[in-house]
Amino acid sequence: MKFEYNKPLAKYTTFRVGGNSDIFVTIEKKEDFYNPIFSEILKNSENIFILGGGSNTVFSDNGFRGTVIYMNNRNIEKVSENSEKCIIKCESGAQIMPIFMFAKKNSADFSPFSTIPGTIGGALAGNAGVPKMEISDIFIEAELFDIEKQEFITVDTTFFNFVYRHSDLQSDNKKNKYIIWSVTLQLQKRDIAEIESETKEYLEMRKQKQPFGKTGGSFFKNPQQGAAGMFLDKAEFKNYKHGGAFFSEKHANFLMSDGTATQKDIIELQKIAQTKIFEQFGVTLEREVRVLDEFGKLTQ
Ligand SMILES: Cc1cc2nc3c(=O)[nH]c(=O)nc-3n(C[C@H](O)[C@H](O)[C@H](O)COP(=O)(O)OP(=O)(O)OC[C@H]3O[C@@H](n4cnc5c(N)ncnc54)[C@H](O)[C@@H]3O)c2cc1C
């Protein structure tokens, strides 16, 4: 485990935006949770932020006044298998792509998720998914560190109350009270050639429809009335620029940085879009990307 101070956060996020964190702790082993300095930090758990791959997070330009806990636990193992299913256990800092590769080697299908950036911990916390499937669909159980009790617990799906791109772990009553240590998933067995060909399709679809660059993916959740990107496109937000932030030409719901964007640019552009979409269509766009103030609270 490693303790660092005044640590720049931008490079830990896919947006590449944000100032420095007062304290930055890298976690690699279960024993790290019982380190006396770390235990002291956890006593002030309202001042922590748990970071996975940073692909759904925008830190404040002023950084973070507290401790960022960076999950760098990446082990993946097979728990059991039969001719139909394979059960794997992934530590929360494991990235999606290595999990996909591990599964494929075992003829187990994780292809729907293969193109989502970030870690399995982040994916579980936010119930990441693609149109036809969410992580909650293949989830069995997770090991969490219970910060108050200072012990590891095992929980199943009822703990999380998964809904579209959200779990209870992000609600006020559970946020910052638990840290995901590992996630157990049940995958369907499938022919490796089929897995490869489906993954190729997912990749092609991404390449065709989504831009590559500094972004957090879909910026707004899809409202009930339709796709957020469709409303943004109709309101001519494609390529709309504000400071260093802009909506992609390729996909209107991809808010990007040109490399110079500040969080301020991103929030201002978000508000311009929300106001216009509401005025034009009566539709409220809710953010999917988590934009944080310097105390870790979600900004408006
Ligand atoms: C190009 C691009 C495409 C994307 N496409 C998709 C897509 O198709 N579908 C989709 O759902 N998302 C998509 N995303 C968004 C993002 O990749 C997902 O939300 C991803 O699951 C976030 O994982 P992360 O590890 O990066 O999370 P982070 O951004 O690091 O964290 C996200 C949240 O999870 C919490 N968290 C992370 N790890 C833990 C842990 N161990 N314990 C407790 N809480 C934790 C954090 O505190 C934070 O609240 C895309 C993003 C990009 C940049």
Side-chain angles (χ1 to χ4, degrees):
M1 102 183 284
K2 197 167 167 191
F3 292 89
E4 292 168 275
Y5 303 91
N6 201 24
K7 173 91 170 170
L9 293 171
K11 75 166 186 176
Y12 288 91
T13 70
T14 52
F15 253 113
R16 297 285 191 268
V17 165
N20 295 2
S21 177
D22 289 348
I23 307 175
F24 188 92
V25 183
T26 303
I27 295 287
E28 272 155 5
K29 303 186 299 296
K30 268 185 160 176
E31 297 80 76
D32 295 344
F33 285 91
Y34 299 106
N35 174 291
I37 301 171
F38 191 56
S39 296
E40 275 306 308
I41 287 172
L42 290 182
K43 282 186 186 156
N44 272 323
S45 70
E46 65 278 12
N47 294 337
I48 64 169
F49 179 79
I50 307 154
L51 179 64
S55 63
N56 202 31
T57 300
V58 183
F59 287 114
S60 161
D61 299 323
N62 296 326
F64 185 67
R65 304 286 72 77
T67 303
V68 168
I69 300 171
Y70 175 52
M71 299 307 292
N72 197 28
N73 52 339
R74 298 180 180 218
N75 191 50
I76 307 165
E77 65 187 30
K78 181 161 67 181
V79 176
S80 65
E81 70 181 325
N82 59 29
S83 57
E84 290 184 353
K85 294 191 185 338
C86 179
I87 295 180
I88 62 171
K89 185 172 176 176
C90 317
E91 288 184 353
S92 59
Q95 299 273 336
I96 295 293
M97 187 42 85
I99 297 174
F100 164 73
M101 298 302 285
F102 180 91
K104 194 177 80 166
K105 247 195 256 163
N106 287 284
S107 295
D109 191 10
F110 193 58
S111 54
F113 305 99
S114 57
T115 55
I116 301 178
T119 64
I120 191 67
L124 189 71
N127 194 19
V130 287
K132 70 172 187 187
M133 234 181 162
E134 299 175 324
I135 282 291
S136 53
D137 295 329
I138 55 168
F139 170 70
I140 299 184
E141 63 180 29
E143 256 181 301
L144 313 181
F145 186 73
D146 181 328
I147 292 177
E148 200 183 304
K149 292 192 179 140
Q150 293 271 303
E151 65 184 25
F152 286 91
I153 57 170
T154 300
V155 296
D156 65 14
T157 186
T158 51
F159 174 92
F160 287 93
N161 280 319
F162 294 111
V163 288
Y164 169 66
R165 303 294 177 268
H166 181 83
S167 84
D168 261 7
L169 213 56
Q170 295 180 326
S171 302
D172 283 346
N173 60 335
K174 287 188 177 149
K175 189 176 155 236
N176 285 2
K177 295 201 164 97
Y178 304 91
I179 300 173
I180 303 168
W181 173 259
S182 72
V183 181
T184 302
L185 303 170
Q186 177 171 274
L187 308 176
Q188 294 291 331
K189 280 297 199 72
R190 212 171 161 197
D191 191 66
I192 291 187
E194 270 177 42
I195 295 175
E196 279 174 345
S197 106
E198 192 170 310
T199 310
K200 231 171 131 187
E201 279 173 32
Y202 280 115
L203 260 174
E204 273 311 310
M205 218 154 61
R206 288 260 179 197
K207 271 195 213 152
Q208 268 175 27
K209 294 192 174 160
Q210 296 178 4
F212 177 78
K214 298 177 178 66
T215 180
S218 297
F219 193 77
F220 296 109
K221 294 182 182 177
N222 288 327
Q224 281 187 337
Q225 298 92 328
M230 185 262 295
F231 291 111
L232 290 159
D233 191 6
K234 279 190 178 164
E236 300 186 347
F237 274 106
K238 274 191 173 169
N239 231 350
Y240 185 103
K241 200 161 192 285
H242 179 82
F246 66 100
F247 285 103
S248 157
E249 168 91 70
K250 220 172 189 179
H251 192 312
N253 195 21
F254 269 55
L255 199 158
M256 325 257 310
S257 164
D258 66 4
T260 67
T262 57
Q263 191 201 55
K264 185 168 170 281
D265 295 338
I266 292 169
I267 294 174
E268 284 173 0
L269 181 53
Q270 166 205 320
K271 291 195 167 151
I272 292 168
Q274 282 172 320
T275 306
K276 185 146 187 232
I277 298 299
F278 187 74
E279 281 171 6
Q280 209 165 320
F281 307 105
V283 168
T284 303
L285 289 183
E286 205 186 303
R287 234 175 19 207
E288 181 169 329
V289 173
R290 304 177 69 77
V291 183
L292 307 173
D293 70 15
E294 65 182 306
F295 302 101
K297 301 253 176 314
L298 290 174
T299 63
Q300 288 297 303

